[in-house]
Amino acid sequence: MDYVSALLPPFVMAVLFIGVIRVIVKTQGGPNKAKEDAVVDAALARAENARQADGPDSRDTGA
C-alpha cells in the first residue's frame, strides 16, 4: 500500500500540469488575441510616454 501513497502525489501533479498546458494552448490566439495584443500595446505606449515625459535631465546618475 506504500507504493500507492508514493505514486499518488506525482500522478496528481502530472495530471494538473497537463491540464494547465492544455488551458494555455487553448487560449493562445483566437478571438482574444487581438484584445490581449491591444492591452499590451497600450501598456507599452503608456510606459514609453512616461519615460519620455521624465526626460533625460531628471534621471539620477548616482554621482
Side-chain angles (χ1 to χ4, degrees), residues 9-63:
F11 179 74
V12 170
M13 292 300 293
V15 169
L16 292 175
F17 182 74
I18 291 170
V20 167
I21 297 300
R22 288 186 65 197
V23 168
I24 290 172
V25 169
K26 283 185 175 185
T27 58
Q28 296 298 310
N32 292 330
K33 183 169 179 30
K35 185 169 52 173
E36 292 170 359
D37 288 346
V39 169
V40 171
D41 290 340
L44 291 174
R46 280 194 306 269
E48 182 65 23
N49 288 338
R51 188 177 67 82
Q52 288 178 355
D54 288 342
D57 295 335
S58 66
R59 289 188 188 149
D60 184 22
T61 60

